[in-house]
Amino acid sequence: MQAGSEPTSVPGDERPVLILANLGTPATPTAAAVSAYLDEFLSDPRVVQLPRWLWLPLLRKLILPRRSPVVAEKYASVWLDGGSPLAVHTAALAQAVQARLPAWRVLHAMRYGAPSLAGVLQRLRDEGTPVVRVLPLYPQYSTTTTASMADIADAQRDGLRIE
């Protein structure tokens, strides 16, 4: 599976699902993709806790237009054939865990970017998946990472058992 590709659905697969979830990455190392990623990430009130009326205009009119091209160049310097290093290695980790947990479906998702955690949870709910466990791939709890992921899980919980 390519690092940025969406997990495929498996109709009729009733195994519980383990989602290995990482922070996120832009889809491509371009200024436009980096801007979209950073906008999603830095617009999250869990990440930047300034008043929205102050922060969002600064972010969208000043910071993103100036920083995105510079950050895109840095991403391009480390980009791999399958995508960003974080996306490639998160997908590879999910495949390795899947090989060791055949009784589970192991997927990967990103809190920001693709495959999005919200999108993966929506597809699993549509498939009628019985149980989903979300494992954030962070070394410690933080409101800017783990709690932000819990926000998404809570928003997608309707009709889906998320542990």
Side-chain angles (χ1 to χ4, degrees), residues 64-126:
L64 292 178
R66 291 184 181 186
R67 292 297 302 157
S68 296
V70 174
V71 173
E73 287 180 21
K74 293 178 188 269
Y75 270 107
S77 73
V78 298
W79 210 257
L80 303 173
D81 287 339
S84 78
L86 185 65
V88 168
H89 295 301
T90 302
L93 177 62
Q95 290 175 345
V97 172
Q98 178 66 76
R100 287 160 181 81
L101 296 175
W104 288 73
R105 282 175 62 195
V106 180
L107 306 175
H108 71 283
M110 298 289 172
R111 169 58 185 94
Y112 309 99
S116 75
L117 179 59
V120 171
L121 290 170
Q122 176 66 49
R123 278 192 306 282
L124 293 171
R125 180 174 44 254
D126 293 347

Side-chain angles (χ1 to χ4, degrees), residues 123-138:
R123 278 192 306 282
L124 293 171
R125 180 174 44 254
D126 293 347
E127 292 173 10
T129 300
V131 176
V132 177
R133 289 201 175 142
V134 178
L135 178 61
L137 298 177
Y138 309 124

Side-chain angles (χ1 to χ4, degrees), residues 1-6 82-83 87-88 91 108 114-115:
M1 176 185 304
Q2 188 175 8
S5 65
E6 299 290 325
V88 168
H108 71 283

